[in-house]
Amino acid sequence: DLSLRDPSEIERWASELGGVSLAPGHVRLPRGSAVERLPGFEEGAWWVQDLAASIPARLLGAGEGRRVLDLCAAPGGKTLQLAAAGWQVTSLDKSVKRLDRLVENLDRTGLTAEVVAADALKWEPSRQYDAILLDAPCTATGTCRRHPDVLHRIGPRQIAEMADLQAALLARATGWLAPGGVLVFATCSLEPEEGEAQAPPVALLPLPIGAGEAPAGLEPTAEGWLRTHPGLLAEVGGLDGFFVARWKVGHLTT
């Protein structure tokens, strides 16, 4: 799966690369493509990103110069999406090595972001943000379509540890939102403890995902969340398992 820097060029890149589009700004190629040799790679016209992984950033829409914090951002697919959509992006991750790859992708695509190497559980921002995207660390069981071994390496202890970390990150992120701000939470996990069981942060209100916001063939839950799994869109190659929820800062009433 490729995400395009310029979504208006779907027809061009789908034709030139021999792929199909399953969503705005997306092209899916046949398996086995050597991406570094494909047209458009060196000029930064696109980057590799599973379709499911592209959904969280899509839910924030056009940035129009507003500020967004991409937490746990490396290797950077969502940062690139947000920058291409007109957000002023701050990308934070504690892995310097993974951030190096993010910076390489920014350079290749010509997109810009403020890159911060820090632990989100200790870092304090100097400003509030209009939006925060938290693609939280998780057991990654949703990637079993591409990495089936993950299902044999994960047990209850790892799931519980990741769920606790996610809750801590959510609690911190909530306090960094400006009035009216939006928080998108996502994990590439199939485990309910790392998705549906994560309680909405205090002081945030649900901002349900609408049916028209998801790629064709995907439907939000009754709660307004989105749950994908490798069996969905099987006729066109499937996609990773993800959980995505969206909340907003509420206004106090008297």
Side-chain angles (χ1 to χ4, degrees):
D1 287 335
L2 308 180
S3 289
L4 304 184
R5 183 182 60 199
D6 182 352
S8 70
E9 295 193 321
I10 287 179
E11 290 188 12
R12 172 194 171 186
W13 290 114
S15 174
E16 193 164 342
L17 298 172
V20 296
S21 179
L22 304 179
H26 165 271
V27 174
R28 173 163 286 186
L29 306 184
R31 289 187 181 275
S33 302
V35 293
E36 294 86 354
R37 299 185 200 142
L38 292 175
F41 176 81
E42 290 190 3
E43 67 190 76
W46 46 260
W47 54 91
V48 176
Q49 184 178 33
D50 189 81
L51 176 60
S54 75
I55 293 172
R58 293 173 182 273
L59 296 177
L60 289 175
E64 300 174 336
R66 292 174 293 162
R67 296 185 181 277
V68 63
L69 174 62
D70 186 4
L71 276 177
C72 310
K78 296 172 184 64
T79 285
L80 298 176
Q81 283 181 276
L82 293 167
W87 291 89
Q88 293 186 53
V89 188
T90 298
S91 302
L92 184 142
D93 201 285
K94 68 179 183 178
S95 171
V96 174
K97 183 176 180 180
R98 284 164 57 84
L99 281 174
D100 286 343
R101 184 174 170 194
L102 186 155
V103 171
E104 289 174 1
N105 280 318
L106 286 171
D107 290 342
R108 183 172 62 84
T109 58
L111 297 169
T112 60
E114 177 189 13
V115 179
V116 179
D119 185 341
L121 294 178
K122 301 175 182 178
W123 178 76
E124 291 292 344
S126 60
R127 64 175 71 91
Q128 290 185 308
Y129 293 90
D130 301 299
I132 295 176
L133 195 163
L134 172 57
D135 186 358
C138 68
T139 56
T141 52
T143 66
C144 60
R145 157 174 155 263
R146 296 179 289 118
H147 307 289
D149 60 300
V150 70
L151 299 178
H152 304 283
R153 296 188 285 105
I154 299 302
R157 179 178 60 82
Q158 292 94 335
I159 294 169
E161 288 175 353
M162 288 293 101
D164 288 345
L165 175 58
Q166 292 155 14
L169 290 168
L170 273 172
R172 287 184 64 76
T174 299
W176 300 337
L177 283 168
V182 174
L183 188 151
V184 171
F185 170 75
T187 61
C188 58
S189 171
L190 299 175
E191 315 306 321
E193 296 91 336
E194 300 178 78
E196 290 85 349
Q198 290 292 347
V202 175
L204 296 188
L205 301 175
L207 186 56
I209 299 167
E213 296 182 273
L218 305 181
E219 295 292 334
T221 68
E223 297 86 356
W225 306 327
L226 194 65
R227 163 60 77 184
T228 68
H229 59 78
L232 292 172
L233 305 185
E235 68 282 3
V236 288
L239 74 171
D240 283 354
F242 256 81
F243 174 83
V244 190
R246 184 175 58 185
W247 299 289
K248 63 180 179 179
V249 176
H251 296 284
L252 296 177
T253 58
T254 59

